[in-house]
Amino acid sequence: MKFSGTESYVASADLSLAVNAAITLERPLLVKGEPGTGKTELARQVADALGMEMIEWNIKSTTRAAQGLYEYDAVSRLRDSQLGDERVHDVANYIRKGKLWQAFEAGKKVVLLIDEIDKADIEFPNDLLQELDKMEFHVYETGETIRAKQRPVVIITSNNEKELPDAFLRRCFFHYISFPDEETLRQIVEVHHPGIKDSLLTTALTQFYEIRDTGGLKKKPSTSEVLDWLKLLLAEDLDAEDLKRGGANALPKLHGALLKNEQDVHLFERLAFMARRER
């Protein structure tokens, strides 16, 4: 099993190497990078390229590690006992399988995505150490041990919102998705917007990288945002000439696709004001 990207996903050589190394080592692949650089999409594309089902576990601030294994619905069992339901005699009827359990019991090898692990409590990664290492866990209510039939390909994403524990990091193969250079971004754009005029693309990407390099920007626009921006430019049938900006017109056309908070919009408005004063 080798991953080298897909028709709809441009994977750099080092990213492909990281995916294949993690598969060979049978270790979770921990992927970090700016939001919008394709971390979550990577898992989908790996599953597609390798012909595997993908099981997705989206992590929230309230998510507990145990939820990935299973949850025991004691409330439903109590209610059923009060109603005299025969199901109450088998505790297994009240065990809800989590995403790890689903991945472990799958008949074929699957891709398990644990998405945005850094959103959860700091103890969350440590609580999964044994399960991801040994690929098994114990169900206390039924006394059974669940072992992985096929070791899943585990891909874990993080936006680097908080540090992950060292013990967890030691068990992962790590890769940081760097923001693509202009040539790679051109390849990505060609996948999503084939045949786009070179003059429009060159002007748009020049402006895009200028925006990203602007000092004081609170949130730099990402790959997904430049793709949305280009989609809008094409829908409005704009050309390179329409994108020209002057000192009094510092904001890019359709800037709402690129600038996502008022602080950054005000930054460009201030730049325009300063440019007018210097005239």
Side-chain angles (χ1 to χ4, degrees):
M1 295 185 294
K2 292 291 182 182
F3 174 74
S4 58
T6 67
E7 290 183 0
S8 58
Y9 190 89
V10 177
S12 62
D14 57 342
L15 176 56
S16 298
L17 182 65
V19 171
N20 293 320
I23 293 173
T24 299
L25 294 172
E26 295 189 325
R27 292 203 178 253
L29 173 63
L30 174 61
V31 185
K32 290 187 178 183
E34 290 181 33
T37 49
K39 300 184 296 297
T40 300
E41 187 61 24
L42 170 66
R44 300 190 180 105
Q45 297 299 327
V46 169
D48 184 56
L50 302 182
M52 298 180 186
E53 176 193 351
M54 190 183 88
I55 295 175
E56 187 170 350
W57 186 14
N58 296 299
I59 307 303
K60 301 177 181 178
S61 60
T62 55
T63 304
R64 294 176 292 104
Q67 292 173 309
L69 309 179
Y70 68 92
E71 290 185 275
Y72 169 52
D73 192 352
V75 174
S76 292
R77 193 181 189 194
L78 175 61
R79 184 191 63 234
D80 288 349
S81 68
Q82 292 170 339
L83 296 174
D85 194 317
E86 288 298 316
R87 295 174 70 252
V88 76
H89 299 298
D90 186 358
V91 69
N93 290 324
Y94 304 93
I95 300 293
R96 292 186 293 197
K97 299 176 181 178
K99 299 296 184 179
L100 264 73
W101 190 330
Q102 295 172 31
F104 286 5
E105 73 173 2
K108 296 181 179 179
K109 202 175 188 72
V110 301
V111 172
L112 171 63
L113 169 63
I114 304 177
D115 200 25
E116 299 189 328
I117 194 171
D118 52 324
K119 280 188 175 180
D121 182 85
I122 189 62
E123 291 303 320
F124 180 93
N126 279 337
D127 291 342
L128 288 177
L129 286 181
Q130 181 170 320
E131 288 76 14
L132 291 177
D133 203 20
K134 295 185 176 180
M135 286 288 151
E136 65 178 43
F137 63 90
H138 187 70
V139 182
Y140 297 99
E141 288 78 8
T142 63
E144 62 184 320
T145 298
I146 306 300
R147 295 184 178 88
K149 295 179 181 179
Q150 299 278 345
R151 194 177 186 98
V153 175
V154 181
I155 296 178
I156 303 170
T157 71
S158 169
N159 287 327
N160 226 9
E161 291 182 6
K162 61 169 69 85
E163 288 295 320
L164 299 173
D166 289 344
F168 179 78
L169 295 174
R170 283 197 300 271
R171 288 165 169 81
C172 297
F173 190 93
F174 173 76
H175 181 76
Y176 184 87
I177 298 182
S178 301
F179 195 83
D181 57 25
E182 185 169 339
E183 183 55 39
T184 303
L185 192 51
R186 281 177 174 271
Q187 295 176 31
I188 294 171
V189 170
E190 181 61 28
V191 167
H192 293 271
H193 304 299
I196 189 171
K197 290 181 181 178
D198 186 66
S199 58
L200 173 62
L201 181 58
T202 298
T203 303
L205 291 187
T206 298
Q207 286 193 16
F208 173 70
Y209 280 104
E210 286 175 353
I211 292 169
R212 276 186 58 86
D213 292 340
T214 300
L217 208 62
K218 185 175 181 180
K219 183 190 181 303
K220 295 182 178 183
S222 67
T223 309
S224 62
E225 286 155 349
V226 74
L227 292 174
D228 287 345
W229 186 47
L230 288 169
K231 183 177 181 179
L232 289 173
L233 298 180
L234 292 170
E236 294 294 324
D237 199 23
L238 301 180
D239 57 27
E241 196 66 26
D242 295 319
L243 297 187
K244 283 190 175 179
R245 296 187 293 159
N249 187 27
L251 283 168
K253 293 282 187 181
L254 301 165
H255 63 269
L258 298 174
L259 304 175
K260 297 302 178 76
N261 62 69
E262 64 278 9
Q263 178 178 311
D264 291 341
V265 173
H266 292 160
L267 172 63
F268 279 89
E269 289 173 342
R270 287 196 301 273
L271 292 174
F273 175 73
M274 292 169 64
R276 287 196 297 269
R277 290 187 60 183
E278 291 172 1
R279 286 184 175 183

